[in-house]
Amino acid sequence: MYQKYKNVELVKPGGLELKDRLVGVQRVTKVTKGGRAFGFSAIVVVGDENGVVGHGLGKSKEVATAIAKAVEDAKKNLVRIPLNKGTVPHQQKGKYGGARVYIQPASTGTGVIAGGAVRAVLEAVGVHDVLSKSQGSSNPHNVVKATFDALLQLRDANAVAAERGISVEKVYNG
């Protein structure tokens, strides 16, 4: 699922204190010969609020089972995101479908300046101070995936130093 990203660390859910956040529930309709069949689709984000996060989709005839399926799906897609003192290490843009998301580090005390689906993902990761902007499509599925695209492109100073073959101090000081 995350093959196009270089430094993605997949995480096993065992031993983690995961909290789930419901991003959205949609009622879906299937028109059949006998009339309309109603069902529900739920998108959920789970995270330990310490750098590990995943998202999942569940579908069912009842809302509760759709949410339960989404949580199970999210636990199968956990990844570790590099954080820097409660914020993101650097600014980053992410996109998926028609959704565009921009995240930027913020100073301590700023809070999570984000709306809806982006806020749910950033809070599940454990980001406390960040500025963000969501543009284009407001479809929660695509916004969550665009936010993940931005988060998965983040690299901490140690990863940059290792990639360039230089010391961490040189990354900061040029």
Side-chain angles (χ1 to χ4, degrees), residues 25-31 36-42 58-61 141:
V25 176
Q26 289 81 30
R27 190 177 85 166
V28 292
T29 309
K30 179 181 179 184
V31 180
R36 293 187 182 98
F38 295 103
F40 295 92
S41 146
K59 299 176 186 179
S60 178
K61 298 283 183 199
H141 297 273

Side-chain angles (χ1 to χ4, degrees), residues 66-174:
I67 293 170
K69 285 181 180 182
V71 170
E72 288 305 310
D73 186 40
K75 287 180 182 177
K76 294 176 188 172
N77 300 314
L78 293 175
V79 290
R80 187 170 303 281
I81 305 297
L83 297 178
N84 184 14
K85 299 175 188 164
T87 188
V88 292
H90 55 86
Q91 63 187 27
Q92 189 64 54
K93 291 180 181 177
K95 64 180 184 174
Y96 186 90
R100 305 281 182 267
V101 171
Y102 172 76
I103 56 176
Q104 177 179 330
S107 57
T108 306
T110 304
V112 178
I113 310 297
V118 179
R119 174 181 288 272
V121 174
L122 293 174
E123 286 177 348
V125 173
V127 175
H128 301 295
D129 304 296
V130 69
L131 303 170
S132 77
K133 181 66 182 161
S134 177
Q135 296 175 318
S137 171
S138 60
N139 177 341
H141 297 273
N142 288 350
V143 172
V144 165
K145 290 175 184 175
T147 307
F148 265 80
D149 181 49
L151 290 173
L152 290 168
Q153 292 178 54
L154 292 174
R155 300 181 305 166
D156 62 348
N158 295 330
V160 173
E163 196 173 297
R164 294 182 188 173
I166 57 175
S167 66
V168 177
E169 292 78 30
K170 205 163 185 179
V171 171
Y172 285 115
N173 299 328

